[in-house]
Amino acid sequence: MPTPSLARSPLVTALLTVLVAHAPSSASAEIGAASFAPSHAQQLVGLDDFTFDSDWFPMGAPLQLRLIAHGGNSVHIDMPGEGRYDWSAGTIAFAGDPQAGSLAVDIGFTLDALVRFDVLGLKWESDIIGPYDYAVIAADSFTPYLLLGNPDRPVIIDDQTEPATLVSVPVTPDILVASGNLDIDIYVIVEASLAGQAIEAATSEPELQLATVVSEGEAVPLSSGPGPIPDPLQVEGTLVCALRTAPTVVLRPTLVMEILGQKFEVANIEVPVVIPPFDDTIRFAPLTMNFPRPAPGADSHGDSHGYSSSDSDAPTGGGEGASEGESGPAGERTSADDSASGGAAQPGEGDGCGCDTDGRGLTPLFLLMLLGLLRRRA
């Protein structure tokens, strides 16, 4: 009689299925994740903090223009991602959401203008013309957290907006022998850069600890303590970045007037207004990440009952307790008492199949029974 092929035996397939289903899971691959999305908004220069006064120009000309401006800028930074705690290795790492980071530089500007002329002894000076407001935002996206090794580091904004007309008004002195028009175009040059320097991760329990991540995706040691508390493990993360901004607003005025039958013009002049640059380290507000402790497993530094190898009250397989018939403290019933008195079996005990019903593995008796069935089939 030909021997049946074990490779095609339904019993072998069933055996493999049972073995895979009862294979112990490993807690060594347990990695906890928590949101870590630092955000920072800061006014770098306020409109009331910076004033530009061009004074009268062109110097000594019969028709002159004067520009007075207030400029300011602010920055908005978002870095969404998550912290990842490896319970097996006792390390923490950070991973940003792809292309979800944002750097935006917001520039605000207000402008006043004055006109005066002195032609053949006829003098006149206007009231303030304005104010006129202007705002622009330059932005770029990237993958956080811009630490060493991140291909997006540093994020650089080097942008120039298209010229736009900010002012176009008639100039009408209260004398009939003069009239004209003032036009001012404006454009902005934005230079900015952002680079991550470090993420500081700190715990206060079980003791004060500090770990510093300086490279993108780097895992650094950060002890979670022996457990079971604190649960969850709380880690406070602080992102540190280097930021530089240098915006420049450029004005292009054109003033044309006819005075006493003569045409005068102020044109083809660019007036740069440099808003004070910012070049410094910024610290984002700390964020707290919660990492719940994983359930104890059979191979995670303890026995299958969840006891640590250092627990003094963990049951032992011999010694004094075993010699007394597995009896516990006075007044307590043990598994030995129950089996002797016909009491109910405990979970995972005496279910008649020789297997461990709580999913921790297969007993040798059960394996022998399966192998015996295989041999009989053969």
Side-chain angles (χ1 to χ4, degrees):
M1 177 182 296
T3 301
S5 172
L6 292 179
R8 299 180 181 178
S9 170
L11 191 57
V12 171
T13 302
L15 174 59
L16 292 175
T17 301
V18 172
L19 290 174
V20 170
H22 286 76
S25 62
S26 173
S28 61
E30 191 82 46
I31 296 179
S35 174
F36 183 67
S39 182
H40 183 80
Q42 180 178 347
Q43 185 178 72
L44 305 178
V45 178
L47 286 173
D48 295 334
D49 301 328
F50 171 72
T51 300
F52 169 83
D53 189 339
S54 69
D55 210 343
W56 294 104
F57 68 93
M59 186 179 296
L63 177 64
Q64 293 180 316
L65 177 64
R66 183 178 183 180
L67 303 175
I68 301 172
H70 297 275
N73 66 335
S74 58
V75 66
H76 301 268
I77 306 170
D78 292 302
M79 295 221 192
E82 65 180 16
R84 297 174 179 175
Y85 190 81
D86 189 324
W87 291 95
S88 176
T91 59
I92 191 167
F94 295 88
D97 294 342
Q99 292 303 307
S102 174
L103 167 64
V105 180
D106 189 348
I107 299 164
F109 197 80
T110 64
L111 178 66
D112 297 318
L114 294 166
V115 175
R116 75 179 182 183
F117 60 77
D118 184 352
V119 177
L120 299 177
L122 182 64
K123 298 181 180 180
W124 178 81
E125 181 175 323
S126 73
D127 294 328
I128 291 178
I129 302 173
Y132 300 95
D133 298 329
Y134 181 78
V136 66
I137 297 177
D140 202 356
S141 60
F142 53 87
T143 296
Y145 295 94
L146 296 179
L147 301 176
L148 289 171
N150 186 325
D152 292 339
R153 180 185 193 267
V155 170
I156 296 177
I157 296 177
D158 188 359
D159 196 10
Q160 178 175 314
T161 66
E162 292 294 325
T165 299
L166 177 63
V167 179
S168 183
V169 293
V171 179
T172 54
D174 52 2
I175 50 179
L176 299 177
V177 294
S179 64
N181 201 80
L182 173 63
D183 295 282
I184 302 176
D185 289 344
I186 186 172
Y187 67 92
V188 178
I189 301 170
V190 184
E191 296 179 0
S193 68
L194 178 68
Q197 293 182 326
I199 299 175
E200 298 172 355
T203 64
S204 57
E205 291 185 81
E207 60 186 29
L208 181 62
Q209 299 176 83
L210 178 64
T212 303
V213 176
V214 297
S215 298
E216 204 71 49
E218 174 188 18
V220 298
L222 186 68
S223 174
S224 62
I229 56 172
D231 187 7
L233 175 68
Q234 290 192 334
V235 179
E236 186 178 86
T238 304
L239 177 63
V240 183
C241 290
L243 173 67
R244 183 182 67 85
T245 64
T248 301
V249 179
V250 182
L251 304 172
R252 288 179 177 172
T254 300
L255 174 62
V256 180
M257 293 198 71
E258 185 175 315
I259 307 166
L260 296 175
Q262 301 182 55
K263 184 178 180 179
F264 297 88
E265 184 178 76
V266 177
N268 300 318
I269 297 174
E270 286 197 346
V271 182
V273 181
V274 180
I275 296 175
F278 179 91
D279 191 354
D280 206 351
T281 297
I282 57 174
R283 294 179 65 87
F284 288 60
L287 297 176
T288 298
M289 295 166 283
N290 291 316
F291 298 101
R293 290 184 180 270
D299 58 346
S300 57
H301 308 290
D303 64 12
S304 59
H305 294 277
Y307 293 98
S308 167
S309 57
S310 61
D311 288 343
S312 59
D313 57 349
T316 60
E320 197 174 52
S323 64
E324 295 179 1
E326 303 266 338
S327 59
E332 290 188 9
R333 295 177 59 86
T334 67
S335 58
D337 296 330
D338 286 330
S339 61
S341 60
Q346 298 300 314
E349 296 180 330
D351 54 5
C353 69
C355 58
D356 190 351
T357 58
D358 62 1
R360 291 189 298 268
L362 301 171
T363 64
L365 179 57
F366 183 66
L367 289 174
L368 287 174
M369 291 171 61
L370 289 175
L371 289 174
L373 289 173
L374 281 174
R375 292 173 62 88
R376 292 170 66 182
R377 291 274 300 184

